[in-house]
Structures are given as C-alpha cells and as structure tokens.
Amino acid sequence: MTALVAGLAFVVALLAVLVIGLLRSHADILRALHDLGVGLDPSDAPGANTGPGPVPVPSPVVKTTAGVPEPRQGDAPGAVPTITGTTPDGGTAVVAISPRPHATLIAFLTTGCTTCAGFWQAFAGRVTLPGADTRLVIVTKGHEHESPAAVARLAPKGVMTLQSSDAWADFVVPGSPYFVLVDGPTGRIVGEGAAASWEQVSGLLDRAVADGALPLTGTDGAPRESVVRSAARREAEVDDALLRAGIGPGHPSLYPGAGDEP
Amino acid sequence: MNRDGPMIRIENHGLAADLPDGWDGQIFVRSGPEGATMPVLQAASFALPAEGGDFGGGAVEQMGDYDVFVALCEYGSDSVNTPLFSSSTLGGLSPDDFHTQALQRPLPPQCGTQQFVTIAGRAFCLYVVLGNHRLREHLVPAAEGVVATITVAPR
C-alpha cells in the first residue's frame, strides 16, 4: 500500500515536471511570437503591439501593361478635395466634387502620354458614363509641367478641363492615365485605377454601379445615364434634327430678335 | 488661389471672391468692344458647365430649387459712371430684390435680380439667380454670402 502511494506520488511529480516544462516552453514560444509582432488575440488592433512592429507583408506585385501606371501606394485622401486650377483658355476655375447630387469621374491625363491620347480622342467624341448625371472632369498638371497650348488643343469642348498640379498631389495620382470616381453626396471614392482604354474605365464604372455605389436613377426616379458629347458632336446632331424638320440655313426661325443680355 | 480653410478664394483679372464649400466658380474673359477683354466671374452652388453664357446660359437650366447662381460681368470703359452704372455699392441683397421676371429667360420657379455698379473705375453688372422664388428668404443669405466677398482691383 505504501509502495503504491509512493509510486503514484512519483508519477504525479513526474507529470507535474512535464507540465511545467510544457508551460514554460509555451511561454517562450508566445514571447518569441510577441517579439515578432504577431498577435494571437483577434481583438488586437494593428499596431497595438509594443514590440518592434508588424512584420511587413510584401504587397503583391502588380503588373500593368506598358504605358499604364501601377496602382498608387499609400492612403487615399481623406475628405475629397475641391479641385482648383486654370482652364485651357487662361481662366480660373474651382470644381467642387462633394457635396454634389451626382458622381464625378476625374480623369488625370497628360498631353504627351500615348495611352492618354486615346482618352483625349474618346472624350472629344461621345462616351457614356453610367450612373445618374455623372460628371466628367479632366485634370492635367499645371503650367510648370504641361503646355497650356497643348492642353487647349486637346481639351474637348463641353468637358471641364483644368490644369492643376495641386489636384494631382491631393489625389495622390501615381501617373497617367488615372481615374478617380467619387460619389457626390458622400464624397467617398468609390473607384479608382489606371486603365489603357476607355472600355476598361467603363468597366470600372459598371462595377461601381453594380456594387450600388452609384445611383442609376435621377432625383425624379427615372433611369438616367449621363452622356458626354463634345460640342462638335452636339452641333452636328442639332443640325441633323433641324434639317429633318425642314429648317435649313437661312430659315427665319434661326434668327430670333432677342439679344443675349438679360 | 488661396486654398486655406473651408472657403476657397478664386481670383483672376482683378476679380476675386470667396466660395463656400461645395460651390463651383469660374473667372474667364469675353471679348468686348474694340478688342477689349471683359472678365466674367461666376459662382454657383451646383456644377458649372465647361462652356456657358456670361449670364448663366447653359448653367441656370441645371439649377435645383435650393441652388444659387452669381455672375459678375464687366462692361466697357464707356459705361463707367454712366447713369445706369452710377451706384458704387455691390450686394446688400434682400428677398424683395428678386423677381421671377428679372431673368434672362423665364425658368419657373426661378427668380433673379440685377445690379449695375462702378467699382474701382470699372463698370459691372451683377446677376443673381435663385432656384426657387418661394425659397428666396432661405437662398438670399447664401447669395449675399458670396457677393459680399467679391473684390475688384483697378485695371
């Protein structure tokens, strides 16, 4: 009986030593993980460790086609800034992005980029912007980087075009062409990225609409789709409509008596 | 341009104004008599089109009930201090100044007002449009808030 008790006591002591060893080893492992900045508590916020900091996880390498910038690194702007700049005709403009009842697509382009050339051409014709009354604004860098004359030659009539290096900095634009889509009522950037063609940008917008980030109807509830047409295209369409109605050049109805001043 | 603080100051061609958050603004020039350049300042609580008339043609058609449009257009030197432009006070708008017929083109329920002034030796017409005549008590302060910040430098 005594031998049995002694034997059991020995086994218990042995197990205790084993458990203590395991616990110490576990503690060493936890300490090592803590020193590496790896938290095991799901409630731990990033950066809450007092150790050396999180182990940086390399961002996935993004490969883009030639002429298309990689996605920007770093934080998006907080509140969407108002864009201020100069217009191709030498004027000054302030363009508010939010609060607005409509979305705004900001196209950051340059005059020398071959990929941008496709967009300048597309915007001079006719492009359809999904969403209710989405506004298109083109922004190049300022006079110190871009020739005002070159911008004036490319700026599509009827499309707000500004030169503003500040806007490029405010929106942290990595390169051109680059697009930022902003929801007007909330000022939230609902989509951004680089693209090699208008079809790719259109896909970005379509995804934003599908995700519910852009309303498809106007304030009256009717389906809306904003169409950006150059002034030349609009003029041609108006001419066609007038001719179909029998109103040609010189028709008296084309020369109203009222002037332009109020 | 001064981009500090919630107001944004726009200035060019000797004209300047402070725009509240969410307002668009433009200052451009139009051709005047004998090749003179006549600056135009526009401010709006809504998106201004890239190309529009001096007095808001192409823009006022987009106005909603709660929108405000302000335009300050310079006239030639031959208008300076003429009887029509004899006033030197810009602004001081009140709801009673606004009428539905005082518009370049009637667009119910909009209303508008005009002031002809000479400031800093330059003649101007101030044209203000409110989106809804019934809301003028609410909208006039917003318009006056911009008009009161307009400054004009001599040529």
Side-chain angles (χ1 to χ4, degrees):
Chain A
M1 185 65 174
T2 304
L4 183 59
V5 172
L8 285 173
F10 176 77
V11 170
V12 170
L14 196 61
L15 288 174
V17 169
L18 182 61
V19 170
I20 291 172
L22 285 174
L23 288 175
R24 179 170 293 177
S25 170
H26 186 62
D28 289 340
I29 292 173
L30 288 178
R31 192 174 300 111
L33 289 174
H34 181 272
D35 289 342
L36 289 173
V38 179
L40 299 181
D41 187 342
S43 64
D44 279 347
N49 295 319
T50 56
V55 176
V57 177
S59 298
V61 175
V62 176
K63 295 187 185 299
T64 60
T65 58
V68 177
E70 293 180 359
R72 60 123 153 257
Q73 304 298 323
D75 296 329
V80 176
T82 296
I83 299 176
T84 59
T86 56
T87 56
D89 59 1
T92 301
V94 173
V95 176
I97 307 300
S98 180
R100 280 276 183 268
H102 54 79
T104 299
L105 177 66
I106 309 169
F108 293 94
L109 305 178
T110 64
T111 59
C113 154
T114 53
T115 310
C116 295
F119 289 100
W120 287 111
Q121 191 172 7
F123 295 147
R126 179 187 178 115
V127 293
T128 301
L129 301 175
D133 302 327
T134 301
R135 182 190 195 185
L136 173 64
V137 177
I138 298 174
V139 182
T140 73
K141 287 190 175 180
H143 293 185
E144 64 279 10
H145 296 285
E146 291 275 11
S147 160
V151 175
R153 276 196 303 273
L154 292 171
K157 290 194 179 298
V159 178
M160 180 64 72
T161 304
L162 298 176
Q163 288 193 259
S164 175
S165 295
D166 286 340
W168 279 60
D170 288 342
F171 283 88
V172 197
V173 177
S176 63
Y178 199 79
F179 299 86
V180 179
L181 179 64
V182 182
D183 175 50
T186 63
R188 184 171 56 94
I189 295 178
V190 299
E192 64 176 310
S197 68
W198 172 248
E199 287 69 32
Q200 290 182 4
V201 177
S202 187
L204 168 73
L205 299 177
D206 287 339
R207 280 194 294 277
V209 170
D211 291 343
L214 281 186
L216 275 177
T217 58
T219 53
D220 58 1
R224 302 286 285 278
E225 199 172 57
S226 61
V227 177
V228 177
R229 307 197 308 276
S230 66
R233 178 64 69 100
R234 287 201 301 272
E235 187 176 343
E237 292 174 353
V238 168
D239 287 344
D240 288 342
L242 289 172
L243 285 173
R244 285 195 299 272
I247 301 175
H251 194 278
S253 65
L254 297 177
Y255 302 94
D260 182 51
E261 296 180 6
Chain B
M1 281 166 285
N2 181 7
R3 299 167 71 239
D4 296 333
M7 304 284 280
I8 293 180
R9 188 157 185 83
I10 184 172
E11 52 188 323
N12 202 346
H13 301 292
L15 306 181
D18 291 334
L19 303 179
D21 185 33
W23 279 55
D24 271 21
Q26 295 186 60
I27 300 178
F28 54 91
V29 295
R30 59 191 172 111
S31 297
E34 300 177 348
T37 55
M38 299 289 111
V40 176
L41 181 152
Q42 293 180 342
S45 63
F46 56 97
L48 284 172
E51 298 172 354
D54 297 346
F55 292 97
V60 294
E61 293 83 354
Q62 312 302 322
M63 293 177 69
D65 287 343
Y66 290 89
D67 283 325
V68 175
F69 173 80
V70 175
L72 184 71
C73 303
E74 184 169 8
Y75 282 73
S77 57
D78 55 351
S79 297
V80 172
N81 288 322
T82 56
L84 178 61
F85 293 87
S86 59
S87 172
S88 60
T89 303
L90 190 67
L93 302 172
S94 75
D96 293 338
D97 296 331
F98 288 82
H99 306 279
T100 57
Q101 298 305 310
L103 294 170
Q104 179 184 21
R105 185 163 56 94
L107 287 172
Q110 294 178 4
C111 61
T113 190
Q114 300 172 56
Q115 292 181 349
F116 296 88
V117 297
T118 295
I119 300 178
R122 302 167 69 174
F124 292 94
C125 171
L126 174 73
Y127 180 56
V128 181
V129 180
L130 307 180
N132 193 314
H133 183 62
R134 293 183 182 181
L135 300 174
R136 58 192 184 279
E137 297 276 351
H138 171 76
L139 298 175
V140 165
E144 178 65 17
V146 173
V147 173
T149 69
I150 293 176
T151 59
V152 177
R155 275 187 173 269

